[in-house]
Amino acid sequence: EVQLVETGGGLIQPGGSLRLSCAASGLSVSDNYFSWVRLAAGKGPEWVSLLYNDGNAYYPDSVKGRFTFSRDNSKNTVYLLMNSLRADDTAIYYCATYNHARSAFENWGQGTLVTVSS
Amino acid sequence: QSALTQPPSASGSPGQSVTISCTGTSSDVGHFNFVSWYQQYPGKAPKLMIYEVRKRPSGVPDRFSGSKSGNTASLTVSGLQAEDEADYYCSSYAGTTKFEVFGGGTKLTVL
């Protein structure tokens, strides 16, 4: 059974940085595509990063240059480093596996809440 | 504002069928047969219910079905049950630049 457990969320001031972690079990992070998807109150989901199994990462314009997706194969964990945080980054952040052939987010974690406020 | 348009709410009585629409453009829903639907209970992780417009992952009841016509995809829940009350989100592949776009979500209420 695949399990994804996110940690690292919290209250952070605008302009600050936060690193989210997603510990995976039941699959290898090095063999799979991963994504972070955020859900803000009253809005639909938004993908904020995609990490291919070859290690290349992709971002939408809304976070490009501020967010960095990485992984540690030895810990079977992926990370999202978020810099220059803004109020509109406030959301629940979910770690998910992405099935590239099906273009679908197959397994999701429970999410971690990030609140950007002074 | 989400890229895909969903009705904010839908409802039906137990045993009835309800259909939720998801309208995009010729650059996403209309161009690719990669529409997915997700179910989410409050405070829980989203769950993939439909992928590639109409395919169901293992374990998803066949009461859930998907379809597409032009720029609009639809999720139909037949034989509504109380446990189907949840939020439903659609998504579509939108190419190598936009990647995936989502709808704003539909809250399904079982009356």
Side-chain angles (χ1 to χ4, degrees), chain A residues 1-6 22-23 27 34-39 44-48 92-99 103-112, chain B residues 36-40 44-50 89-91 100 102:
Chain A
E1 181 192 3
V2 174
Q3 271 200 317
L4 304 174
V5 179
E6 304 98 330
C22 172
L27 54 73
F34 274 80
S35 184
W36 287 92
V37 178
R38 67 186 179 187
L39 185 59
E46 176 190 18
W47 78 277
V48 294
I92 299 175
Y93 285 71
Y94 296 93
C95 170
T97 61
Y98 183 71
N99 187 312
S103 290
F105 300 93
E106 287 193 322
N107 303 286
W108 297 68
Q110 290 291 105
T112 186
Chain B
S36 301
W37 289 90
Y38 302 88
Q39 176 191 64
Q40 186 178 34
K44 300 297 185 181
K47 176 185 177 183
L48 178 65
M49 302 299 283
I50 297 285
Y89 298 97
C90 63
S91 73
E100 292 278 342
F102 286 90

Side-chain angles (χ1 to χ4, degrees), chain B residues 39-104:
Chain B
Q39 176 191 64
Q40 186 178 34
Y41 296 115
K44 300 297 185 181
K47 176 185 177 183
L48 178 65
M49 302 299 283
I50 297 285
Y51 65 95
E52 292 181 36
V53 177
R54 62 183 73 251
K55 297 179 180 178
R56 284 186 309 275
S58 174
V60 173
D62 60 6
R63 301 185 295 103
F64 291 85
S65 62
S67 63
K68 190 185 86 167
S69 177
N71 296 337
T72 298
S74 298
L75 172 72
T76 298
V77 186
S78 305
L80 268 176
Q81 298 181 5
E83 67 201 50
D84 299 331
E85 186 163 296
D87 293 325
Y88 292 85
Y89 298 97
C90 63
S91 73
S92 172
Y93 182 69
T96 55
T97 301
K98 287 189 175 181
F99 179 51
E100 292 278 342
V101 290
F102 286 90

Side-chain angles (χ1 to χ4, degrees), chain B residues 2 14 17 21 24 28 49 52 54 87-88 109 111:
Chain B
S2 300
S17 293
S21 63
D28 38 64
M49 302 299 283
E52 292 181 36
R54 62 183 73 251
D87 293 325
Y88 292 85
T109 300
L111 302 171

